[in-house]
Amino acid sequence: MKRSLFGRLWPNVTAVVLFIGFVFPVYWMFATAFKPTGDIISENPVWFPTDVTFEHFKTAVDADNFWTMVANSLIVTVLAVVFSLVVALLGSFALARMRFKGRRGFIIAFMCAQMAPWEVIIIAIYMIVRDASMLNSLVPLTLFYTMMILPFTILTLRGFVAAVPKELEESAMVDGCTRVQAFRRVILPLLAPGLMSTSMFGFITAWNEFPLVLVVNKEAEAQTLPLWLSSFQTVFGNDWGATMAASSLFAVPILILFVFLQRRAVSGLTAGAVKG
């Protein structure tokens, strides 16, 4: 009986400890953003803000080039996700349905690309962008973000395409559909969980990317929010309230996306990992 009780207890205790460890820093970031400066620098920590203030958020929003960097981040992130999904849909269908020489090598290459750290080729990327006279432009960021997202997207969607019975596609073609129409009407609707999970992963990856934009885009008008966030404390000294407000604003889009897509995204990642 004691073993049975312990066996039920320790997973719950572990889950609670992990939950607190992951959630508390996020809570403290948002709470600090709403605290007056006096409560932030107080020797006695204020766990729950009583006098809520929005002054720190005003300071963050009024910072130089804030809205320009918001627009830049949204443009490169959304375009990278869309481009990667379009290419991955075609590539995953080819890898799952077609048999051609070198197919296994393609899959291994995508796996290696997924595991390889992109930071090691940043200098090479910089030289390519420099020689193409595209420094301080959003175009190379969009293209390279697409390349960063693409391996994971293809490998995940390949599992979903392989899980769709071929008979459904063949039946649609017998009824008069072309291969493209069968893919669009039969296979594509069944890929919704995979599309959502890969979209969320791609959005988070591109939204948080820091080293590449630091090297390629030196002008403030061509930078994105991660770089703005890193220089925030340098601009405002030790204004921890403004720094936490800036961090909160940076995290809000990802939190909203996760809230709306969490169920389908988790099921999509799980299904894509075991199928195909």
Side-chain angles (χ1 to χ4, degrees):
M1 183 65 181
K2 291 183 178 180
R3 289 184 177 180
S4 178
L5 178 61
F6 177 77
R8 295 196 304 269
L9 186 61
W10 78 263
N12 295 326
V13 173
T14 303
V16 170
V17 172
L18 291 176
F19 176 80
I20 295 175
F22 282 110
V23 172
F24 180 76
V26 179
Y27 163 76
W28 195 253
M29 176 183 69
F30 281 101
T32 304
F34 288 101
K35 293 178 185 177
T37 303
D39 291 345
I40 296 174
I41 63 177
S42 174
E43 294 182 357
N44 300 320
V46 179
W47 300 101
F48 303 99
T50 54
D51 299 328
V52 176
T53 179
F54 293 92
E55 189 65 27
H56 302 310
F57 287 95
K58 184 178 183 301
T59 302
V61 172
D62 291 342
D64 294 338
N65 298 308
F66 170 74
W67 293 111
T68 299
M69 294 187 186
V70 169
N72 292 343
S73 293
L74 288 175
I75 290 172
V76 298
T77 300
V78 172
L79 288 179
V81 171
V82 171
F83 291 160
S84 65
L85 287 179
V86 172
V87 177
L89 280 172
L90 302 176
S92 60
F93 181 82
L95 292 175
R97 284 288 190 262
M98 302 177 182
R99 298 295 181 266
F100 54 89
K101 188 175 181 180
R103 173 176 171 271
R104 186 178 298 274
F106 274 107
I107 297 175
I108 295 175
F110 283 125
M111 290 182 177
C112 293
Q114 176 64 30
M115 293 184 292
W118 284 91
E119 289 78 6
V120 300
I121 62 172
I122 285 182
I123 302 303
I125 293 176
Y126 171 80
M127 295 176 66
I128 294 173
V129 176
R130 182 200 60 188
D131 293 343
S133 300
M134 299 185 70
L135 292 175
N136 299 307
S137 172
L138 299 182
V139 175
L141 288 182
T142 302
L143 295 178
F144 285 110
Y145 287 177
T146 302
M147 293 172 57
M148 292 169 59
I149 301 170
L150 198 56
F152 175 85
T153 308
I154 289 179
L155 293 175
T156 302
L157 291 181
R158 171 180 168 268
F160 281 90
V161 175
V164 178
K166 290 183 179 180
E167 291 76 13
L168 295 177
E169 184 181 355
E170 293 172 352
S171 298
M173 296 177 66
V174 169
D175 292 337
C177 291
T178 63
R179 181 176 290 274
V180 175
Q181 291 174 334
F183 175 80
R184 180 170 59 86
R185 297 179 181 180
V186 178
I187 297 180
L188 187 59
L190 299 176
L191 301 181
L195 292 174
M196 290 186 179
S197 62
T198 53
S199 297
M200 189 175 72
F201 170 83
F203 188 93
I204 294 174
T205 301
W207 185 262
N208 292 334
E209 202 283 327
F210 174 79
L212 183 59
V213 67
L214 175 64
V215 174
V216 173
N217 290 4
K218 295 295 185 180
E219 295 182 1
E221 293 76 11
Q223 294 175 352
T224 55
L225 282 178
L227 199 58
W228 167 80
L229 186 61
S230 70
S231 62
F232 201 85
Q233 192 176 350
T234 303
V235 176
F236 293 98
N238 293 323
D239 191 349
W240 293 109
T243 303
M244 291 299 101
S247 301
S248 301
L249 292 173
F250 179 76
V252 163
I254 295 177
L255 294 177
I256 294 175
L257 185 68
F258 180 77
V259 167
F260 281 101
L261 299 182
Q262 58 174 333
R263 291 186 178 180
R264 287 187 176 271
V266 173
S267 64
L269 288 172
T270 305
V274 300
K275 295 179 181 179

